[in-house]
Each structure stands twice: as C-alpha cells, then as structure tokens.
Amino acid sequence: MENYAVFAIVSLAAILLAGIGYFHLHKFSFTKLVFISLALGVVFGFGIQFIYGATGKITTNAIDWINIVGNGYIALLQMLIIPLIFVSLVGAFTKLKVSQNLRRISFSVLSTLLITTAIAAFIGILSVFAFHLQGASFINGAPDKANLAILKQHQSQLTGLTLPQQIVSFLPVNIFADFAGTRATSTISVVIFSLFVGVAFLYVRKNNPEPAKTFADFIEALHQIVSRIVHLVLQLTPYGIFALMAKATATDSIEAIGNLGIFIIAAYAALLVVLIVHTIILVANKVNPVVYYKKVWPALIFAFTSRTSAGTLPLNVQIQEKSLGIDSAIANFAASFGLTIGQNGCAGVYPAMIATIIAPTVGINVVSVQWVLTLIAVVTISSFGVAGVGGGSTFTTLMVLGTLNLPITIMGVIIAIDPIVDMARTLVNVNDSIVAGVVTARQTKSLDTDTLADSTKIVESVI
C-alpha cells in the first residue's frame, strides 16, 4: 500500500513537472513560470504533509524521489560557483581600461559590502530586541538530532581555530584543492587567487602586451563557455524550484513553522529594513529607487526563489551592465565579491540574530554596548568567505558562534525553517551586490545615466 502511495505522489509530481515543461517550451514568461513553479511546489508539498504527515514514511520516500530534481539542480549550481567566480573576477581585470581604477573600484565595492554588512548586523540585533527573542524562550521543543549532527559536522571544521586563524584559513594553500571545493573556505580562496591572477595580468599587459592579449582572449573564450553552461543549467530553474519547495513544505512540519513563526517574522522585518537602507544609499547616490527596483526585480525574484546568489551571478552582471549602465569591470567585481564577501542577509542579519538569541542563555548581557560592538565586528569579519548557495549562512553563523564561545544547540531548532528565511536572505544578498556596483560606478563617474533612465532596457532572464 505504501509503495502505491509513493508511486502516485511521484507520478503526480512528474505530471506537474511536465506541465511546467509545456509552458517552458512555449516561451512562457520565465519570471511568471518561476512563480507558478513556486506556488505549485508549496501547494503540492503542504498537500503531501496534510495527508501523510511531515515525517511519515510515505512522505519521506516520495520526497526522496522527487528531490532528485531539486538536489540535482542545486548540485549543478554548486558545480558552477568556482568557474563563475574565477572567469568573472579575472575577466573583470582583463576588461579594466585603466589599471589605476583598480584601487578605487576595489575599495568602493568592498567598503560598500562591508559597511552595509555591519549595518545589517546591527539591524539584526535590534530585531531580536524588538520581538523579544533574546534568551530563546520562544522556541518550543528539542532540536532535531539530524540537524544537530549536521551542525556539529560543520562546526568540527572550525574546532580549535581562533578568529585570526580562521582568517588565515581563507588563504589558498593548494589552489587545485580549492578549485575542487575541498574546504569550507575554498570559495574565498579562489577569490583571492583570482585577484592575484588579475593583478599579475595587469603587470604583464603593461610590460608585455602580446601574451597579455592572448591570455585575455583565452579568458573571454572561457567566459563564453562557462556562460553557456550557466544558461543550460538555469533552464532547469522552474523544475528545481518546484522540487525544492515541495520538499520544504512537505517535510518542515506546520507545527515547527508555527513555533518559529515569530523568528521568521523578525528575520523578514530585519531584512526589509536592510532593503530600506539600500534604498537610502541609492537615493544618496542620485538613483531613482522606483526605476532601480523595476530593473533589478528579475534578479531579486530569481534569488528569492532559487536561494542561490551564485546562480544569480550571470543575471546580476547583465542587469548591472545592460539595465543600469554600470561598466562591465565594475559589474563583474561587485557581483563576484558579493558572492563571498559581506552578504547582508546570510552573513549580516542572520548570524547577528542567532548570536543575540543564544547569548543570554549563557549569561551574556546582550544590551551592553560592548557586546553589540563586539558582535558587529565579529560578524563583519566573518562575512568573508560565505558560500553563495543555500546553506552558506550556516557556516558563517557557526564561525560567529565559535568565536564568541556560544552553544549551537538552539540553532538546531531554528535550522528547521531555514529555507523559508533563506529566500529573503538571498534576495538581500544579491541586492547589496548590485547596490555596491551602482555606488562604485557613481563614485568613479562611469555610470551611464542614459541607460539607467531608459525604462525599455530591462533584462528579464539570461535564458
């Protein structure tokens, strides 16, 4: 009987996926198709949970089959992270017209990302105070053993390392191992290596133009190949989103969501305030927020539904260049750095909230100025190296908790509803990287205001 039920659920999922495929083949609007897939996945998942329960054997087995699509989609996105970062960052150097601009561009992008992360951390702390979450008394129930085991496995990679030692771990020791993603800090290591390659290229271009041109042509060819692979993978987005949302809503119990509902509301409130801060920065840089959000909306929606900053990178860069009038080199720097440094949602708001919730359980006065400033500093420094895929915030948060000697047990409860919060976190991450591009383009006087003002120049998709 159980096998028949599993077969029926998987068959229905296949029919729904086929329906999505039908609309996809008939050139249905990609943004609308993503929303439809999201809605179908949510309804389908909750339907499974309502009939068979969140932890029932039928639910578990059926979702295991359905999630071949979801896990496969995430695996393909993770496959692209390292190549994307390398070709985008090195490509940014090859596209720099004047080497002297490198310092100004890098400083502007990094300072924008890190300053907004510090602000986001402060907002996360205030959100905990506003919703009275400090002390974690709002949580009912013990942490899930499986989730706790995953957290401890991640934590083992940081055991015995001080914050300075953790920073040193960002440096590449064996770049081929980091290209293979063998460490939790492999992403930031590849970023650092790419920067070295880029700086070396500028030196060679100045002193020996011919080999530099050959290398630049190679990087451009590699960039086009990687971009084409990205296009192929992103065509799977509606199907991946359906499967991922079906899994999240079928296996995250309604009771757990209800118990942690106040945390979800507090997190979304904090992330909304961060977006308001981004808007203020845009206004300060003489950018019309209405025009801006109309143009970046496709990237934000993609980030929200896919939960991956890395997967949004190609669309992020295209929107900066073609819709906002940002120089290609700046767009690549801002989008690439934004994948691994200073993510406002995953590396700013979230770890600050978790630490402030947990700290009172070990006797820390979280309303003291010393605690607030210490936490903001630790969060900002730890924001280096966060991975641009779903779950990257877990490692960053564990780094913060480990540095402050805070327990992780309560996090094992909160992680149960992580996908719900992660959607908004990823949206904020991507928006911050685009804002960094706008600010840098304005400061370097390279922002094409005609393109920015042209309401017809909107990039909806890279597909």
Side-chain angles (χ1 to χ4, degrees), residues 140-151:
N140 296 319
D144 182 84
K145 291 183 179 179
N147 290 336
L148 200 56
I150 293 171
L151 290 173

Side-chain angles (χ1 to χ4, degrees), residues 27-244:
K27 308 301 181 183
F28 198 74
S29 168
F30 185 74
T31 302
K32 291 180 181 177
L33 191 60
V34 166
F35 268 117
I36 291 172
S37 301
L38 174 69
L40 283 175
V42 169
V43 173
F44 185 66
F46 274 129
I48 295 173
Q49 182 178 161
F50 180 76
I51 298 172
Y52 298 107
T55 58
K57 188 175 181 180
I58 292 175
T59 299
T60 302
N61 291 340
I63 291 299
D64 196 30
W65 280 101
I66 294 169
N67 217 42
I68 291 175
V69 178
N71 285 340
Y73 173 66
I74 292 298
L76 291 173
L77 287 175
Q78 289 174 329
M79 171 190 74
L80 293 169
I81 294 175
I82 299 299
L84 271 173
I85 290 174
F86 180 74
V87 299
S88 297
L89 269 180
V90 177
F93 280 92
T94 64
K95 294 171 185 174
L96 271 177
K97 296 179 178 64
V98 182
S99 301
Q100 287 84 346
N101 286 339
L102 175 61
R103 184 177 298 176
R104 291 184 64 191
I105 292 172
S106 300
F107 177 79
S108 179
V109 169
L110 289 174
S111 60
T112 301
L113 292 172
L114 293 176
I115 290 172
T116 52
T117 298
I119 295 172
F122 182 61
I123 292 170
I125 295 169
L126 293 181
S127 180
V128 172
F129 295 159
F131 287 87
H132 306 289
L133 302 183
Q134 58 268 37
S137 59
F138 70 101
I139 294 177
N140 296 319
D144 182 84
K145 291 183 179 179
N147 290 336
L148 200 56
I150 293 171
L151 290 173
K152 288 182 177 179
Q153 183 180 1
H154 282 298
Q155 190 184 40
S156 65
Q157 301 177 47
L158 301 170
T159 302
L161 295 180
T162 63
L163 184 58
Q165 291 170 337
Q166 291 173 17
I167 294 172
V168 171
S169 72
F170 296 158
L171 298 175
V173 177
N174 182 340
I175 193 57
F176 296 104
D178 286 323
F179 269 115
T182 57
R183 301 188 299 157
T185 56
S186 286
T187 306
I188 189 65
S189 295
V190 171
V191 169
I192 294 171
F193 176 74
S194 301
L195 294 177
F196 275 105
V197 173
V199 171
F201 166 82
L202 294 178
Y203 177 84
V204 173
R205 186 174 69 178
K206 180 180 179 181
N207 296 279
N208 202 347
E210 282 303 315
K213 184 180 183 305
T214 301
F215 179 78
D217 290 341
F218 166 72
I219 291 295
E220 177 58 27
L222 187 60
H223 188 275
Q224 290 189 26
I225 295 295
V226 172
S227 295
R228 185 55 193 163
I229 297 173
V230 169
H231 293 174
L232 294 174
V233 172
L234 292 187
Q235 290 187 47
L236 302 174
T237 298
Y239 314 99
I241 287 172
F242 168 81
L244 291 171

